[in-house]
């Protein structure tokens, strides 16, 4: 190892700080072999100087004391050496007035970067590099067909596994679809035959009909999939487009479904329309003269008996179905009873068209449908109970995702009361299907990465992810197919998927120290870790997203990454010079999520927002990666307070690693015991949720915390370390 | 006529001015919230439109709602569906009146009738006559009382030559009162034909 440090004087750093003092610290305390100052490090000459240090002087580890690690990443791109950065610009000169406090801050950041540097290695890329680029698509409905076709058109092989004997799914059973093109006025052809044709004729797409997935093992780039017909296929990524089942209208006793053939659900109406236009009623084959649509049948239910959510498409679907009648015979009375009409996309135009065609929309809540077709409801505008006698009633029931088994509760029936059947049959330690978010829909990062599930290389598309219509499913499937392709390419190179895209590090585990506690295997948000026969963890590197949650979980600290470890952060914590009590200078350690909190602080710097000079900020991959030992070490070292800044957790989480911040919160809830043992106040360690937009809020939080520390006084543990 | 079957809606579409817009209302309630008179009448435009769709013919046509509209056009400006609400309200009023269903003693209806006959006789509004007709609408004693109450205003108008008592005996006429009457008769005829009224 040969270390080199480069100190930049640009962007106001040299004006505000004594860079010679920083250089001396790097040399004497940091024990860096080669220390250089440069007035403008990201300039061509500056970069050239670094390059020479690497090429001529043989530096293998380079410390750059300049701007934030998030800035100038192109200029400071040296993939052949380990790089650590001291954030003197956003972290010091932009947020502090010139003076001793700022200088001390800078001194510490240089010390910290030198300490981190020596504990880093250049990542060598994971050994787990499956080379298959093929995409398995589970489900042959609109979503699956689109995903396969998009992958094929991008030049990748695809395999569709469909449990029915024919392709097309629900869409094939429609008479017409909601229009996706201007002027959005009339029901449109479904387009399914053409899509099926294009898929069937595409030489890159193979089909397995009447087949299900019996087992899925492996990892991105090397999934081994066994089918129900005994065949085994190797694929690089998977798109799960297993769609939905209709909510069973028979569960709505008050709507008499099943008691009369003239009470149908939306699928039933499509079947009638396919049979004949004008639509005839099933009981006597007479043309329907008065049809009533009951919206939200068993949906948006707050009684806890039915679906609590809105399926999103059914308002527009009822409009479309009402047009089946109106277009054929304007004299047919069509009444849609709704509580709110929700028509996403260009549905407003479609709604207007339905009104213009004479479909009557009535805001009301249906209480009962009698077997003779009497629809009883409360008119919510006229505020009265009333009824309509219809000769056909259509119930707009919702979508129930076909998401397989709830891995947290494998025997739980689905919303229709059906026994769960696994879709993917994953050979994963954490369960046979994808983790869920709510109501049975598979988890996907709603805010930032909608197709990403919590199983790397497996993407969901269509109504299994969230309720949706055809247009949305097509968009979904296209996105998922592209993500699947990306996953295979990353896997082949041993690179991480988002959000640490391109990271070549991977978890290294010292098994001889492992106590088989299973914390890592249980807590990994991405199910990357299996267990071997001796119950040791087996890391599947290409399933891993490099969140380091396992590292944070491991009580014996045997998990690490080449460029991020318990040691690399621990050394930074210890490198900070803690002033003794007599100096009355508090020190606050901030461990900030690199995805949201740290960028927000950088932006605060960019906006020159000033905040306390007592803080020393260390970016962490995720709050989930925070190992308890950092906290205890920091407290023992005499820090006066510790702030953990991470993303929002819960149902509407924003954590880039989905579960990281939730796990951190769980672990930190137990920190009080530690504090008690050390006879410290609860306020010494706090956790705050922060979003990337908290540019003004974070500095405020920090200052408030600094005041809290001032109020409770300096840590009594100073000087014992 | 049965509920929500659209018979009355079809009637309104065929026979009420701008009636074909009623089906386009999306029941957002913006008109109801915008109308400065909102709290003072039986039904907001939103409700009227829903009642039409629900087939409440009697209730709609006997409502005082459309008679209370001041033509401020607040609702028209705000309606996200661009319904000509004010026109529909007046269309409904006219329709109810012609069917003889409009509330007889509704003050604006009575004023409108008085105004119309005053205007069409000579082709000009005779303000003095109109005022007297309105004052004495509830009988002689009530008229005298109103007259007395307003005497100061009346005298000042006289002094300012804004009111001429001779108008009572020799009313101003427009040049071709007969022509105007013929024109109005023709318009009525056309409208009757269009809306299906017998005379
Ligand atoms: S917890 Fe994170 S870093 Fe550890 S194996 Fe799982 S995905 Fe990888
Ligand atoms: S135009 Fe008539 S109905 Fe519309 S807001 Fe004004 S008064 Fe009310
Ligand atoms: S504002 Fe327009 S659309 Fe809304 S309720 Fe009134 S008339 Fe209907």
């Amino acid at each position: 190892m040969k270390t080199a440090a480069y100190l930049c004087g640009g962007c106001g750093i040299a004006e505000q700080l004594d860079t010679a003092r920083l250089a001396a610290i790097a040399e004497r305390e940091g024990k860096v072999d080669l220390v250089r100052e440069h007035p403008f490090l990201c300039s061509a000459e500056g970069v050239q100087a670094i390059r020479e240090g690497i090429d001529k002087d043989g530096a293998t580890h380079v410390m750059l004391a300049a701007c934030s690690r998030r800035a100038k990443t192109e200029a400071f791109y040296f993939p052949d050496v380990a790089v650590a950065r001291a954030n003197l610009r956003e972290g010091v000169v932009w947020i502090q007035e010139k003076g001793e406090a700022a200088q001390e801050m800078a001194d510490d950041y240089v010390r910290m970067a030198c300490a981190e540097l020596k504990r880093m290695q250049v990542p060598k890329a994971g050994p787990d590099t499956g080379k298959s680029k093929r995409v398995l698509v589970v489900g042959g409905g609109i979503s699956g067909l689109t995903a396969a076709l998009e992958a094929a058109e991008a030049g990748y092989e695809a395999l569709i596994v469909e449990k029915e004997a024919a392709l097309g799914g629900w869409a094939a059973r429609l008479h017409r679809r909601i229009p996706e093109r201007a002027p959005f006025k009339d029901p449109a052809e479904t387009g399914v035959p053409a899509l099926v044709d294009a898929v069937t004729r595409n030489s890159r797409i193979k089909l397995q009909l009447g087949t299900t997935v019996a087992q899925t093992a492996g990892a991105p780039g090397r999934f081994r999939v066994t089918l129900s017909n005994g065949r085994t296929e190797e694929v690089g990524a998977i798109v799960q487009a297993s769609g939905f089942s209709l909510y069973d209208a028979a569960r709505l006793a008050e709507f008499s479904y099943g008691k009369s053939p003239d009470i149908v659900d939306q699928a039933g109406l499509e079947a009638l329309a396919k049979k004949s236009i004008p639509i005839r009623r099933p009981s006597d084959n007479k043309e329907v003269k008065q049809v009533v649509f009951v919206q939200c049948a068993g949906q948006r239910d707050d009684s806890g008996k039915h679906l609590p959510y809105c399926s999103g498409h059914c308002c527009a679907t009822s409009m479309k179905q009402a047009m089946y009648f109106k277009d054929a015979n304007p004299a047919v009375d069509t009444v849609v009873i709704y509580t709110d009409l929700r028509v996403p996309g260009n549905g407003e135009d479609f709604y207007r068209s339905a009104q213009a065609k004479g479909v009557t929309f009535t805001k009301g809540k249906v209480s009962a449908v009698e077997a003779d077709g009497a629809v009883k409801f409360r008119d919510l505008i006229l505020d009265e109970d009333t009824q309509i006698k219809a000769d056909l009633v259509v119930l707009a029931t919702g979508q129930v995702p076909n998401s397989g088994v709830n891995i947290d509760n494998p025997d739980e029936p689905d919303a229709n009361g059906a026994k769960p059947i696994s879709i993917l049959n994953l050979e994963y330690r954490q369960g046979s299907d994808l983790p869920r978010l709510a109501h049975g829909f598979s988890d996907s990062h709603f805010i930032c990465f909608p197709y990403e599930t919590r199983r790397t290389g497996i993407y969901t598309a269509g109504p299994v992810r969230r309720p949706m219509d055809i247009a949305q499913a097509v968009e979904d499937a296209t996105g998922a197919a592209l993500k699947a392709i990306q996953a295979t390419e990353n896997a082949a190179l041993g690179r991480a998927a988002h959000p640490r895209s391109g990271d070549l590090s991977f978890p290294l585990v010292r098994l001889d120290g492992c106590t088989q506690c299973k914390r890592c295997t249980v807590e990994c948000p991405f199910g990357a870790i299996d267990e071997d026969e001796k119950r040791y963890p087996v890391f599947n590197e290409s399933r891993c997203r490099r969140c380091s949650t396992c590292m944070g979980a491991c009580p014996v600290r045997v998990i690490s990454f080449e460029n991020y470890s318990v040691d690399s952060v621990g050394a930074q914590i210890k490198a900070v010079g803690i002033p003794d009590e007599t100096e009355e200078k508090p020190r606050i350690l901030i461990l900030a999520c690199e995805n949201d909190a740290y960028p927000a602080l950088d932006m605060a710097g960019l906006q020159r927002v000033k905040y306390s000079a007592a803080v020393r900020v260390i970016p962490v991959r995720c709050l989930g990666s925070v190992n308890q030992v950092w906290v205890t070490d920091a407290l023992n070292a005499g820090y006066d307070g510790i702030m953990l800044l991470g993303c929002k957790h819960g149902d509407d989480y924003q954590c880039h690693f989905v579960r990281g911040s939730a796990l951190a919160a769980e672990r930190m809830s137990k920190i009080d015991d530690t504090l008690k043992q050390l006879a410290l106040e609860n306020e010494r360690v706090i956790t705050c949720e922060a979003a990337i937009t908290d540019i003004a809020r974070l500095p405020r939080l920090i200052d408030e915390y600094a005041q809290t520390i001032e109020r409770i006084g300096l840590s009594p543990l100073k000087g014992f370390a | 006529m049965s509920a929500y079957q659209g018979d009355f809606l079809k009637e309104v579409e065929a026979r009420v001015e701008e009636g074909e817009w009623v089906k386009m209302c999306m029941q957002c309630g913006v008109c109801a919230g915008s109308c400065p008179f909102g709290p003072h009448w039986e039904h907001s435009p939103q409700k009227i439109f829903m009642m039409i769709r629900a087939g409440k013919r009697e209730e709609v046509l006997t409502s005082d709602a459309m008679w209370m509209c001041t033509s401020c056009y607040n609702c028209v400006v705000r309606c996200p569906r661009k319904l000509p609400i004010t026109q529909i309200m007046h269309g409904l009023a006219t329709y109810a009146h012609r069917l003889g269903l409009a509330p007889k003693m509704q003050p604006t209806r009575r004023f409108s009738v008085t105004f119309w006959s005053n205007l069409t006789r000579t082709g000009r509004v005779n303000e003095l006559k109109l005022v007297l007709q309105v004052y004495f609408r509830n009988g002689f004693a009530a008229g005298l009382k109103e007259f007395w109450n307003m005497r100061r205003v009346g005298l000042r108008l006289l002094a300012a030559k804004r009111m001429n008592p001779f108008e009572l005996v020799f009313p101003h006429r427009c040049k071709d009162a007969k022509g105007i009457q013929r024109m109005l008769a023709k318009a009525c005829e056309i409208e009757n034909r269009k809306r299906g009224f017998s005379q």
Side-chain angles (χ1 to χ4, degrees):
Chain A
M1 181 195 298
K2 177 155 189 190
T3 53
Y6 295 86
L7 295 114
C8 178
C11 292
I13 296 174
E15 284 97 85
Q16 285 203 53
L17 298 171
D18 178 351
T19 48
R21 176 165 142 186
L22 298 176
I25 287 176
E27 209 169 321
R28 278 182 228 128
E29 297 181 39
K31 306 254 181 334
V32 174
D33 302 326
L34 191 80
V35 179
R36 297 269 184 277
E37 286 183 53
H38 195 281
F40 188 15
L41 199 56
C42 62
S43 65
E45 305 85 66
V47 172
Q48 181 60 28
I50 303 172
R51 200 65 263 174
E52 271 167 22
I54 298 167
D55 296 342
K56 298 222 180 87
D57 303 317
T60 56
H61 288 62
V62 173
M63 192 280 266
L64 307 176
C67 40
S68 161
R69 62 173 66 191
R70 302 179 60 261
K72 304 285 173 199
T73 47
E74 276 170 33
F76 299 147
Y77 177 64
F78 305 108
D80 44 344
V81 296
V83 179
R85 295 183 59 174
N87 185 357
L88 302 184
R89 192 179 70 172
E90 289 85 344
V92 184
V93 299
W94 280 358
I95 57 153
Q96 298 298 332
E97 306 293 351
K98 187 172 177 166
E100 181 56 20
Q103 182 70 37
E104 282 174 12
M105 227 178 167
D107 294 351
D108 276 341
Y109 279 131
V110 168
R111 290 185 187 109
M112 289 156 81
C114 293
E116 183 190 18
L117 183 68
K118 296 204 196 109
R119 283 149 188 97
M120 290 173 85
Q121 277 162 37
V122 186
K124 285 182 292 294
D128 178 18
T129 49
K131 297 281 189 274
S132 173
K133 303 273 171 80
R134 219 169 156 217
V135 178
L136 167 70
V137 178
V138 183
I142 279 272
S143 318
L145 293 171
T146 308
L149 199 59
E150 291 288 347
E153 283 177 356
Y156 291 77
E157 307 268 316
L159 167 70
I160 299 181
V161 174
E162 164 60 52
K163 72 173 186 307
E164 306 289 333
L167 294 172
W170 279 108
R173 293 160 64 179
L174 303 181
H175 170 55
R176 293 281 184 274
R177 59 169 290 185
I178 299 159
E180 55 161 345
R181 279 180 221 296
F184 308 101
K185 283 206 163 119
D186 306 297
E189 297 289 336
T190 62
V192 172
L195 185 58
V196 170
D197 192 50
V199 164
T200 323
R201 281 190 292 110
N202 194 306
S203 59
R204 290 206 185 91
I205 304 176
K206 297 273 169 303
L207 300 173
Q208 288 287 324
L209 300 181
T211 310
T212 54
V213 174
Q215 195 195 63
T216 305
R222 56 171 185 86
F223 285 113
R224 250 181 0 276
V225 180
T226 313
L227 304 180
S228 56
N229 58 16
R231 296 172 63 115
T232 313
E233 304 275 353
E234 215 205 355
V235 296
I238 300 172
V239 173
Q240 181 180 331
S242 45
F244 69 98
S245 311
L246 262 193
Y247 188 67
D248 184 2
R251 297 172 73 84
L252 301 158
E254 65 277 27
F255 292 162
S256 301
Y257 183 83
K259 288 196 202 121
S260 156
D262 299 334
I263 300 172
V264 297
D265 59 12
Q266 288 184 325
L269 198 275
E270 294 294 337
L272 291 179
K274 276 207 142 184
K275 213 156 79 193
S276 90
I277 295 280
I279 293 170
R280 297 177 175 281
R281 60 182 208 161
S283 60
D284 54 9
N285 215 32
K286 286 214 187 91
E287 194 187 330
V288 174
K289 286 282 182 276
Q290 169 96 41
V291 54
V292 170
F293 295 86
V294 178
Q295 295 310 110
C296 305
Q299 305 195 64
R300 303 176 61 206
D301 171 74
D302 46 23
S303 73
K305 279 191 280 193
H306 306 297
L307 305 182
Y309 52 86
C310 161
S311 290
H313 76 94
C314 9
C315 282
T317 297
S318 286
M319 291 172 190
K320 175 194 74 173
Q321 296 185 337
M323 289 186 193
Y324 292 170
F325 295 93
K326 281 284 180 192
D327 288 345
N329 176 7
V332 176
D333 267 309
T334 53
V335 179
V336 178
I337 306 179
Y338 67 94
T339 48
D340 305 280
L341 281 171
R342 295 180 168 181
V343 279
N346 287 291
E348 280 298 329
D349 288 340
F350 196 49
Y351 173 24
R352 253 190 294 268
S353 169
Q355 285 181 298
K357 289 180 183 192
V359 179
T360 298
F361 291 88
T362 299
K363 191 173 168 78
K365 188 139 186 63
V366 178
S367 54
V369 178
E370 308 287 343
D372 66 356
V375 181
K376 305 207 155 123
F377 68 104
R378 178 150 198 94
D379 187 312
L380 294 173
I381 299 292
L382 304 181
D383 209 18
E384 61 186 21
D385 292 318
T386 177
Q387 69 164 8
I388 307 179
K389 182 73 177 52
D391 39 39
L392 187 74
V393 179
V394 185
L395 306 176
T397 55
Q399 293 178 329
V400 177
N402 294 334
S403 51
V405 171
N406 179 1
I407 58 175
D408 296 322
N409 183 7
D411 295 322
E412 184 188 77
D414 74 3
N416 277 328
K419 215 175 96 66
I421 301 169
S422 176
I423 306 275
L424 294 177
N425 286 297
L426 289 167
E427 280 290 291
Y428 278 39
R429 157 78 172 70
Q430 290 186 5
S432 65
D433 280 290
L434 300 176
R436 296 170 171 193
L437 179 61
H439 316 311
F441 291 95
S442 67
D443 197 357
S444 63
H445 203 292
F446 257 81
I447 303 177
C448 311
F449 320 100
Y451 314 113
E452 296 286 353
T453 68
R454 280 170 49 197
R455 297 294 177 256
T456 309
I458 307 181
Y459 299 87
T460 46
V464 67
R465 189 171 78 73
R466 65 170 179 81
M468 62 176 80
D469 65 13
I470 293 180
Q472 291 168 326
V474 166
E475 211 168 85
D476 228 41
T478 309
L482 296 182
K483 292 301 287 184
I485 290 170
Q486 206 180 46
T488 65
E489 294 292 347
N490 275 330
L493 298 171
R495 292 197 305 214
H498 94 92
R500 293 195 54 80
S501 318
D503 187 359
L504 291 170
S505 75
F506 54 91
L508 293 161
V509 54
R510 214 164 28 79
L511 279 186
D512 49 3
C514 168
T515 58
Q516 297 159 305
C517 73
K518 297 208 195 64
R519 290 262 289 272
C520 59
T521 48
V522 171
E523 291 194 4
C524 170
F526 304 101
I529 316 170
D530 291 330
E531 264 157 33
D532 67 10
E533 321 76 59
K534 297 205 206 100
R535 325 206 31 195
Y536 280 112
V538 178
F539 286 77
N540 293 274
E541 289 83 5
S542 53
R543 288 187 206 161
C544 165
R545 300 275 257 278
R546 283 70 163 176
C547 62
S548 311
T549 296
C550 49
M551 181 177 113
C554 182
V556 286
R557 304 185 289 281
V558 294
I559 302 171
S560 64
F561 295 76
E562 286 145 316
N563 50 7
Y564 185 68
S565 61
V566 172
D567 212 19
S568 75
V569 175
Q572 292 180 68
I573 293 174
K574 289 178 200 144
V576 171
I578 304 286
D580 65 33
E581 319 92 298
T582 55
E583 289 183 64
E584 304 243 329
K585 284 182 195 160
R587 286 294 176 259
I588 296 168
L589 173 67
I590 296 185
L591 297 171
C593 155
E594 67 177 9
N595 296 298
D596 271 51
Y598 199 71
L601 286 176
D602 273 357
M603 284 186 275
L606 195 64
Q607 296 181 6
R608 308 298 195 276
V609 185
K610 306 271 179 278
Y611 55 87
S612 167
V615 298
R616 302 292 180 264
V617 187
I618 301 178
V620 294
R621 288 187 177 182
C622 175
L623 271 202
S625 75
V626 172
N627 195 294
Q628 293 280 63
V629 75
W630 294 342
V631 176
T632 17
D633 279 0
L635 291 172
N636 281 319
Y639 281 88
D640 305 287
I642 302 174
M643 262 186 122
L644 303 177
L645 303 180
C647 301
K648 193 173 164 75
H649 53 87
D651 268 0
D652 49 354
Y653 66 84
Q654 294 190 8
C655 174
H656 285 55
F657 296 105
V658 185
R659 292 279 303 145
S661 58
L663 288 166
E666 226 170 281
R667 294 180 201 148
M668 286 308 145
S669 66
K670 294 169 195 133
I671 203 78
D672 288 359
D673 296 340
T674 315
L675 289 168
K676 212 174 279 156
Q677 274 168 20
L678 295 170
L680 289 174
E681 302 81 347
N682 284 348
E683 293 95 325
R684 296 274 174 212
V685 183
I686 64 162
T687 308
C688 303
E689 286 186 347
I692 197 160
T693 45
D694 284 336
I695 302 161
R697 179 176 161 260
L698 271 189
R700 220 166 41 231
L701 279 184
I702 290 173
D703 282 345
E704 278 165 24
Y705 187 56
Q707 280 161 20
T708 306
I709 293 301
E710 205 164 303
R711 180 167 50 74
I712 62 174
L714 295 184
S715 165
L717 296 186
K718 270 186 213 297
F720 286 98
Chain B
M1 190 174 316
S2 113
Y4 301 90
Q5 276 193 343
D7 310 23
F8 182 44
L9 175 65
K10 279 172 206 140
E11 179 183 337
V12 168
E13 288 183 348
R15 305 191 70 186
V16 172
E17 192 186 343
E18 305 283 12
E20 63 279 10
W21 276 96
V22 171
K23 60 175 179 279
M24 299 306 290
C25 165
M26 64 170 178
Q27 295 297 318
C28 65
V30 164
C31 53
S34 305
C35 180
F37 274 84
H40 304 294
W41 30 318
E42 257 181 288
H43 308 108
S44 64
Q46 175 200 13
K47 271 209 171 151
I48 288 279
F49 300 154
M50 196 61 231
M51 286 156 69
I52 294 173
R53 297 190 207 167
K56 295 180 178 291
R57 186 175 192 272
E58 182 79 15
E59 266 181 68
V60 170
L61 295 177
T62 56
S63 170
D64 75 344
M66 43 278 194
W67 297 101
M68 296 291 283
C69 170
T70 60
S71 306
C72 70
Y73 287 86
N74 242 350
C75 54
V76 177
V77 170
R78 291 185 184 169
C79 171
R81 281 297 180 80
K82 301 196 169 67
L83 266 72
I85 304 166
T86 311
Q87 289 90 326
I88 305 171
M89 294 306 272
H90 293 316
L92 282 169
T94 312
Y95 185 58
H97 171 69
R98 298 217 48 179
L99 295 180
L101 289 170
K104 289 278 168 316
M105 301 306 282
Q106 209 289 329
T108 31
R109 192 198 72 85
R110 285 173 75 195
F111 178 78
S112 302
V113 171
T114 314
F115 182 88
W116 182 251
S117 61
N118 179 306
L119 170 74
T120 50
R121 186 158 307 140
T122 59
R124 280 182 64 129
V125 179
N126 185 316
E127 284 168 355
L128 196 54
K129 268 191 181 164
L130 183 64
V131 167
L132 291 174
Q133 278 166 327
V134 171
Y135 280 8
F136 289 93
R137 70 192 185 285
N138 293 330
F140 190 69
L144 271 186
K145 200 170 164 212
E146 200 126 10
F147 200 79
W148 182 248
N149 286 343
M150 296 300 283
R151 66 190 186 282
R152 271 181 233 279
V153 180
L155 286 172
R156 294 227 314 259
L157 281 172
L158 275 176
K161 296 205 166 65
R162 299 297 301 272
M163 195 166 77
N164 182 355
F166 292 106
E167 283 285 330
L168 269 185
V169 232
F170 307 109
H172 257 87
R173 296 181 157 261
C174 67
K175 278 188 197 133
D176 183 11
K178 284 266 149 14
I180 292 253
Q181 279 161 4
R182 275 203 304 278
M183 210 164 78
L184 289 172
K186 188 71 196 169
C188 274
E189 185 197 318
I190 294 172
E191 184 176 33
N192 287 346
R193 201 171 340 113
K194 207 162 110 196
R195 306 280 177 205
F197 287 106
S198 46
Q199 34 84 43

